[in-house]
Amino acid sequence: MVYHEDENGYVNTECDETEETRTEVEQAATFDRARFLKKLGSTVFASLLVPAVFKDQFSAKANDPAETAPEFPILPEPTEDEDILVRMMRDVQRAMKKPVDQRKWSMVIDLRKCIGCHSCTISCASENKLPEGVIYRPVMEEEIGTYPHVSKRFIPRPCMQCEEPPCVDACPVNATWIRKDGIVEIDYKQCIGCRYCITACPYGSRVFDSGFSYMDGLASKGEAYLSPEGAIVYEKAPAYEYGKKMPREDHQSPIGNVRKCHFCLHRIEKGLLPQCTVSCIGRATFFGDANDPESLVTELIGKPNIMVLKEEMGTRPKVYYLV
Amino acid sequence: MAQVRNKREGLFWFLAIACFAIGLIGIYDRLVNGHVNANYGSYIPWGLWVAAYIYMIGLSAGAFVMSSLVYVFKVEKFKKIGKLSLLVALATLVGALVTIWMDLGHMGRAWRLMLKTNFMSVMGWMVWLYSAYFILLIVELWLAMRSDLVKCSRESGLRGKICNFLLFGNKDDSPERQAKSARLLTILGTIGIPLAIAFHGSVGAIFGVVGARPYWHSGLTPIIFLVGAFLSGGALLAFIAANWAPNKGTEEHRSMIALLGKIILAMLALDVLLEYAEITVGLWQSVPEEAESLKLILFGDYWWVFWFVHVGLGVVVPALLLIFNGKSVRAVAIAGALIAVTFLAVRLNIVLPGLSVPEMEGLLHAYSSRGLTFDYFPSVSEWLVFIWSVSLAGLIFLLGKTYLPILDDKEAKGLN
């Protein structure tokens, strides 16, 4: 593991704050925005084991370490055998320094490396606080052959962030569009929830937030085998998709909206990788800027064994598969 | 005769009010709990309500086109049911719009459809077209009633008051004024025909343009929608005209209903032809997903909806009635009611099979969660809301024909 020089200082701080965060999260409702962002940021970085801090959100306190902190996580000097996650973070940070319209966020998934652990599915749900009925990146499983001569293929399916997305033209109220960096965004405050875009997506990438809760139908507090408190904290915690705080309240967006994967835009913009990419234990998911000739994804997209799903639809996905 | 009529009338009122009251439970559930108790979700995003919407909007478009036979093509035989068909078109349109409103994830944002329209989206076009159609329908109905409003405004009681109010203070009913109304009606009706076709065609095109769903993705889809609309709307009108036309009991009425019977029989034949083309071409397996959807319709879990409800009760029985007993008012009324009611099965068989085939193989088992399933059967709440909106349309019709001079007839005096 490679750490930056001042790693100890950071790690200590991180640990302290994580402890705090845990107790704080239980009373998430009482949080003020700035403090919560700070805590959340710390938690995220701690989980990454990469020292980093946010810059602009909380300049209120004079002795705040954030004030002196860099914009993006500090990365070690490049080495020959460094983890590709570090290289891809460097790719992301390089891209973030370019104007937004020169970035082209793309993902490559190496199906030969995917072991079907579904970690990406779950970490994505956790990152975006996805409720029951909403999933951004399921892993499809295909079984080939008959027992005992069976092999399995696993195909993670995020949003393809198409260059010609049929969903965008379907939306009757302009609530979804392609951003300059290529990510197909949904504005939860504008979406009326007609679900036409869901029918238009050839990949099934768009889902409807019916307002379900994982707690529905469970035994009430006291009767339950397991304490439901933790689950309630999870269910009520706000999501930070598109960098906006979205608490989960009845009849409020994102309930009643169409939702989908956004390449963890809120993370990318802080110089981090999408959660599915960092949580991939087989290092099968690659992410970066396809407009950057030096990025890892550009290198991979140039391989002859690259493919996209349903190429015949003419949607021109920005999620590629290595086969 | 009059007693039988009153009994039947009472039954319809009872049914409409009872269904309205029961349906309110569904409305309450929808408004308080949102979409939690609905069975549509992420993989089957559209369910009974969307099917009900295209069903009722088809009834509306069909009834409207029948009214144009009176106001545009001046078909003398249907003169007596011009206003009736406009009222049917209006009532079913309101029912349809209320249903699709309930279907929205955020009902409070429905205004965005008008003010933030994306004209790249067929749905954006549809909203503008049906708004225009809605306005045109109301103006046309008012113009068609105007002469009779003047007469009935002299009555005492609630009906007189309503008629008086709807005249907005102008009680002029001179022949010039009547001629002006008639001219305007012709113009509006003439605009109305392409508008109704464009608007219901666009409802069909919403499905037709979706390349991701091979079963929907066909140039035939909007055409089938239109023919289905003319068929179901005409059939509903035949049933209503058989029961409530102002000239009921006369020879004129009998021959009018017989002609309506012939029209719906022709429409039925055309509809069957188009369905036959769609099913047989699709089953050829050139596009496996499309064949998959068609197999679901023909042999899937809900095969009986197609074979029993649609083909049996919606095609074979009415066709036999119309072919062998087409001169009988009762037979045409039963045939019309059967076609109109069972047409919901056709609409369900458009919406659901297109969605029930996973877009990606393996999606079904990739993640298990509520709403992430390709099985769908409407929940109790969904049925209740559906019943409510249908009974709402029914009540609008019953109230309209009671309190508005829909059935007033200048020539047949004394008949009410």
Side-chain angles (χ1 to χ4, degrees):
Chain A
M1 283 285 181
V2 194
Y3 283 108
H4 197 256
E5 286 174 349
D6 54 2
E7 163 223 354
N8 286 333
Y10 263 114
V11 167
N12 286 336
T13 331
E14 296 290 312
C15 288
D16 291 342
E17 291 196 352
T18 315
E19 289 269 291
E20 251 181 80
T21 308
R22 207 172 296 127
T23 51
E24 294 278 2
V25 162
E26 284 161 14
Q27 321 152 357
T30 61
F31 265 30
D32 67 18
R33 182 183 153 80
R35 261 184 91 207
F36 187 79
L37 268 176
K38 179 181 160 191
K39 307 295 176 193
L40 180 95
S42 316
T43 324
V44 165
F45 300 147
S47 77
L48 265 177
L49 290 178
V50 174
V53 220
F54 286 163
K55 189 181 172 185
D56 16 285
Q57 258 86 358
F58 32 83
S59 46
K61 288 174 195 168
N63 57 350
D64 199 320
E67 271 214 327
T68 50
E71 190 178 7
F72 298 131
I74 296 162
L75 297 173
E77 292 299 311
T79 55
E80 278 292 307
D81 56 346
E82 73 179 356
D83 192 316
I84 55 162
L85 287 180
V86 181
R87 171 169 177 198
M88 289 191 293
M89 276 184 88
R90 198 171 284 120
D91 291 349
V92 166
Q93 294 186 7
R94 200 163 54 244
M96 282 307 295
K97 295 199 173 91
K98 296 198 292 184
V100 65
D101 55 344
Q102 286 173 29
R103 299 171 207 150
K104 185 179 172 186
W105 297 124
S106 303
M107 187 174 278
V108 177
I109 300 168
D110 192 338
L111 297 186
R112 300 164 304 181
K113 286 184 173 175
C114 177
I115 58 162
C117 70
H118 299 255
S119 291
C120 54
T121 311
I122 303 307
S123 66
C124 163
S126 169
E127 168 74 22
N128 295 301
K129 305 290 178 289
L130 301 184
E132 174 142 45
V134 175
I135 205 76
Y136 288 170
R137 188 183 156 109
V139 178
M140 303 182 294
E141 300 190 2
E142 269 178 50
E143 196 168 291
I144 301 112
T146 46
Y147 180 82
H149 306 290
V150 184
S151 66
K152 270 202 152 187
R153 184 160 48 217
F154 309 99
I155 308 168
R157 198 248 39 219
C159 170
M160 301 291 140
Q161 318 290 356
C162 306
E163 285 185 54
E164 302 284 346
C167 54
V168 167
D169 280 351
C171 178
V173 295
N174 289 307
T176 182
W177 59 88
I178 318 179
R179 290 164 45 90
K180 284 177 180 170
D181 55 16
I183 290 176
V184 177
E185 179 168 354
I186 303 173
D187 187 336
Y188 292 152
K189 293 286 183 200
Q190 286 188 42
C191 168
I192 60 169
C194 73
R195 315 191 286 287
Y196 189 24
C197 56
I198 300 185
T199 71
C201 174
Y203 305 100
S205 292
R206 286 177 171 247
V207 288
F208 181 58
D209 191 338
S210 295
F212 296 146
S213 152
Y214 279 110
M215 300 297 287
D216 288 344
L218 285 187
S220 60
K221 195 179 169 186
E223 300 161 40
Y225 288 109
L226 292 167
S227 155
E229 283 90 353
I232 289 167
V233 169
Y234 169 81
E235 298 239 89
K236 295 285 175 198
Y240 286 87
E241 295 172 65
Y242 306 107
K244 293 171 201 155
K245 186 179 177 179
M246 282 272 173
R248 195 161 177 83
E249 286 158 13
D250 283 354
H251 299 285
Q252 298 298 312
S253 288
I255 294 175
N257 284 128
V258 170
R259 304 175 67 174
K260 68 169 191 69
C261 154
H262 32 65
F263 276 172
C264 280
L265 184 68
H266 57 289
R267 291 174 58 92
I268 307 170
E269 303 231 300
K270 298 292 172 197
L272 300 168
L273 290 165
Q275 188 66 43
C276 55
T277 310
V278 289
S279 63
C280 180
I281 61 168
R283 298 288 189 268
T285 298
F286 308 89
F287 181 82
D289 173 19
N291 275 351
D292 176 357
E294 285 172 39
S295 72
L296 180 56
V297 283
T298 312
E299 207 175 282
L300 295 173
I301 291 168
K303 301 268 185 205
N305 55 334
I306 201 93
M307 59 156 265
V308 294
L309 294 180
K310 291 197 177 179
E311 190 172 8
E312 73 281 5
M313 298 295 299
T315 49
R316 297 170 64 208
K318 286 196 284 289
V319 173
Y320 300 82
Y321 294 86
L322 279 170
V323 291
Chain B
M1 183 69 199
Q3 212 182 358
V4 174
R5 201 170 160 184
N6 284 344
K7 253 189 190 168
R8 194 180 296 164
E9 181 97 11
L11 178 72
F12 282 117
W13 273 101
F14 172 76
L15 268 179
I17 292 172
C19 289
F20 188 86
I22 296 168
L24 279 176
I25 303 168
I27 297 292
Y28 172 83
D29 182 53
R30 165 66 188 86
L31 295 180
V32 172
N33 298 323
H35 300 260
V36 172
N37 292 324
N39 280 354
Y40 52 79
S42 290
Y43 289 166
I44 306 273
W46 287 349
L48 175 64
W49 295 345
V50 172
Y53 160 71
I54 59 174
Y55 166 62
M56 284 196 268
I57 223 143
L59 293 176
S60 177
F64 179 83
V65 169
M66 295 305 286
S67 82
S68 69
L69 291 178
V70 180
Y71 300 116
V72 181
F73 299 108
K74 318 281 184 200
V75 179
E76 279 295 318
K77 265 197 171 156
F78 295 134
K79 214 175 159 190
K80 297 279 156 54
I81 55 165
K83 285 179 286 180
L84 198 60
S85 49
L86 286 173
L87 179 65
V88 172
L90 183 65
T92 44
L93 180 64
V94 173
L97 294 182
V98 166
T99 315
I100 205 64
W101 189 42
M102 291 287 160
D103 190 71
L104 288 185
H106 286 271
M107 292 169 71
R109 296 179 192 167
W111 60 271
R112 284 183 181 276
L113 285 163
M114 287 299 294
L115 300 182
K116 303 271 176 183
T117 319
N118 172 16
F119 286 105
M120 291 300 287
S121 167
V122 186
M123 198 181 275
W125 280 100
M126 178 195 73
V127 170
W128 276 85
L129 288 169
Y130 71 51
S131 303
Y133 171 71
F134 202 154
I135 294 165
L136 182 121
L137 199 51
I138 288 173
V139 175
E140 212 178 301
L141 182 60
W142 184 79
L143 281 171
M145 288 191 308
R146 201 183 169 281
S147 238
D148 300 304
L149 282 173
V150 174
K151 282 198 191 71
C152 98
S153 68
R154 295 185 200 117
E155 288 173 22
S156 55
L158 184 59
R159 204 173 106 105
K161 276 183 194 142
I162 291 171
C163 291
N164 201 10
F165 171 75
L166 287 176
L167 281 169
F168 305 113
N170 184 352
K171 289 193 184 178
D172 173 23
D173 194 31
S174 58
E176 296 83 53
R177 178 74 209 209
Q178 285 185 17
K180 196 178 158 197
S181 292
R183 206 169 52 244
L184 262 173
L185 259 178
T186 312
I187 295 169
L188 286 179
T190 314
I191 301 170
I193 298 172
L195 186 59
I197 290 174
F199 136 73
H200 198 67
S202 73
V203 178
I206 279 190
F207 296 84
V209 298
V210 177
R213 314 283 173 166
Y215 169 55
W216 295 348
H217 188 49
S218 157
L220 200 55
T221 306
I223 307 300
I224 276 200
F225 261 69
L226 279 173
V227 173
F230 300 156
L231 169 62
S232 58
L236 179 64
L237 194 65
F239 169 74
I240 283 172
N243 277 297
W244 287 293
N247 55 358
K248 197 180 165 186
T250 62
E251 184 51 43
E252 193 192 13
H253 179 252
R254 269 190 289 279
S255 73
M256 176 184 77
I257 297 297
L259 181 58
L260 265 178
K262 279 183 194 152
I263 292 175
I264 51 177
L265 184 60
M267 281 296 160
L268 186 62
L270 185 55
D271 191 66
V272 168
L273 177 73
L274 293 181
E275 273 187 51
Y276 182 78
E278 188 175 78
I279 292 173
T280 48
V281 172
L283 274 182
W284 215 259
Q285 298 270 21
S286 306
V287 183
E289 277 180 65
E290 181 172 9
E292 215 49 55
S293 291
L294 290 166
K295 280 185 202 156
L296 281 178
I297 298 175
L298 301 180
F299 319 112
D301 284 350
Y302 301 108
W303 62 272
W304 50 273
V305 174
F306 178 79
W307 291 109
F308 184 70
V309 183
H310 173 52
V311 174
L313 295 175
V315 176
V316 176
V317 175
L320 291 176
L321 280 171
L322 291 170
I323 292 167
F324 293 109
N325 209 2
K327 289 208 164 65
S328 151
V329 171
R330 180 180 283 259
V332 175
I334 295 172
L338 276 175
I339 294 173
V341 171
T342 59
F343 219 74
L344 178 65
V346 177
R347 298 314 195 190
L348 280 166
N349 265 338
I350 290 172
V351 176
L352 297 174
L355 299 168
S356 298
V357 179
E359 304 96 308
M360 305 289 302
E361 216 183 316
L363 204 53
L364 172 61
H365 298 293
Y367 194 84
S368 292
S369 180
R370 234 178 123 188
L372 298 181
T373 162
F374 289 91
D375 290 325
Y376 172 82
F377 191 80
S379 68
V380 176
S381 287
E382 284 174 79
W383 284 114
L384 286 173
V385 168
F386 167 67
I387 288 170
W388 182 83
S389 46
V390 171
S391 63
L392 176 72
L395 278 177
I396 290 173
F397 170 74
L398 289 171
L399 287 168
K401 85 174 185 50
T402 310
Y403 291 106
L404 293 174
I406 298 292
L407 305 176
D408 293 13
D409 185 9
K410 277 173 277 177
E411 285 101 85
K413 281 190 181 107
L415 234 162
N416 206 0

